[in-house]
Each structure stands twice: as C-alpha cells, then as structure tokens.
Amino acid sequence: IQPQIVHLQMSRLQTAPDANVVDYMKANMEQTAAIQKVSDDACFRFLYPDVKGGINPMRVLDKPMMQRRMQADADMMRAAYGKNRHTVTAQERDTAVADVRPIMKELAAKYGEDIQLLQMPDKATGKEKLSCDMVQEMWAKVLQLPESHAAGVIRLAVSELE
C-alpha cells in the first residue's frame, strides 16, 4: 500500500500551496537525515524502496519526528483541496528548470559521474552513503531558494516520478 500512498502524495503536491509543499519536503529531509544516522543502508532503502526494499520508519525514528512528518503530510494533503489550491503553470515549470540547473551543475562538479545515481539508484550498490548524501545536499540547496521557487522545483521533481 505504501507505493499507492506515495503516488497520491506526489499528485497532491501539485495542487498544495507553496508553504505546505516546502514543509512536506523539509519533514521528509529531516526524516532522511535521522534515518541515515541509523545506517546508510536504511537511508538508501527509505529513499529508494523499489531498489532494495523499503524500511518501516516507525521502527527507526522517534515518535515526535514521526508525528511531525505525519502532520506535514496531512496538512499538505488537506491544503491541496483547500481555498488556496495551487495551479502549476508553464512559467512555474520554466522557473523550476532554471532554478535547479545551477544546483545540479554544482553537484555534478562535486560528485562527477556519481551524480547519475540520483537518476539511476539501481546502479548505487555499494554507494548507498553517497546516494543519501547527494539527495540530502540537493534538497538542502533547493530548500534555500525562495519558498515559491523551492515549491516549484519540488513539484517539478515529483511530477517526473508520477
């Protein structure tokens, strides 16, 4: 059932207001960092359950963090149907592409060919730590953008997963 829930969340992110989209990703990255403290393999499994099989975050994370994540998820899901419902425009997509380009260029300069693991996690066997580090660094840079820009990049990225 987890893949269906994730798919539903990805579609709701498209219509959720910017603040909810950014909060959703912040909660996700807090969770990812906490899981990586347990192990790089657990982090990789959390990020890429289709590649190595997922983990149950309830067994790894403390209750306050799980509650924060569930609250961010619930707030985002509700807001996607609220009066402040967002509509993605071509302009937003173009801005997101322009915003993410220098971030990816910077990561490519730092990580070289390993940057491809972001798109091909099935090739990351033995490089689980690197994969987790790159994902977190990428999203940390995206989350430094102004809120509307960060939300646009998040929506663009998850729309490619749908």
Side-chain angles (χ1 to χ4, degrees), residues 25 28-33 36 43-48 100 103-104 107 110-111 114-121 124 127-143 154 157 161:
M25 186 55 74
N28 193 322
M29 286 299 102
E30 287 167 13
Q31 200 173 14
T32 302
Q36 189 171 17
C43 174
F44 187 85
R45 287 173 184 272
F46 174 68
L47 291 172
Y48 303 109
V100 82
I103 292 171
M104 297 313 291
L107 291 174
K110 180 175 179 177
Y111 293 107
D114 284 331
I115 192 75
Q116 296 173 8
L117 298 177
L118 291 171
Q119 296 292 325
M120 299 181 291
K127 295 186 175 186
E128 291 83 358
K129 177 182 177 1
L130 181 63
S131 294
C132 286
D133 289 347
M134 285 192 297
V135 166
Q136 290 178 82
E137 187 172 344
M138 178 190 72
W139 286 117
K141 291 178 184 304
V142 168
L143 291 169
I154 294 164
L161 297 176

Side-chain angles (χ1 to χ4, degrees), residues 11-76:
S11 66
R12 293 291 193 281
L13 281 167
Q14 301 303 314
T15 58
D18 294 345
N20 296 97
V21 172
V22 169
D23 194 48
Y24 171 90
M25 186 55 74
K26 283 181 180 174
N28 193 322
M29 286 299 102
E30 287 167 13
Q31 200 173 14
T32 302
I35 291 170
Q36 189 171 17
K37 285 179 184 167
V38 173
S39 84
D40 295 322
D41 187 63
C43 174
F44 187 85
R45 287 173 184 272
F46 174 68
L47 291 172
Y48 303 109
D50 294 346
V51 177
K52 282 180 84 176
I55 65 159
N56 181 348
M58 306 278 281
R59 293 188 179 158
V60 179
L61 300 170
D62 64 26
K63 193 172 180 179
M65 183 167 290
M66 283 305 302
Q67 287 173 328
R68 164 147 167 59
R69 172 64 195 271
M70 290 189 297
Q71 189 64 53
D73 289 1
D75 290 347
M76 182 276 294

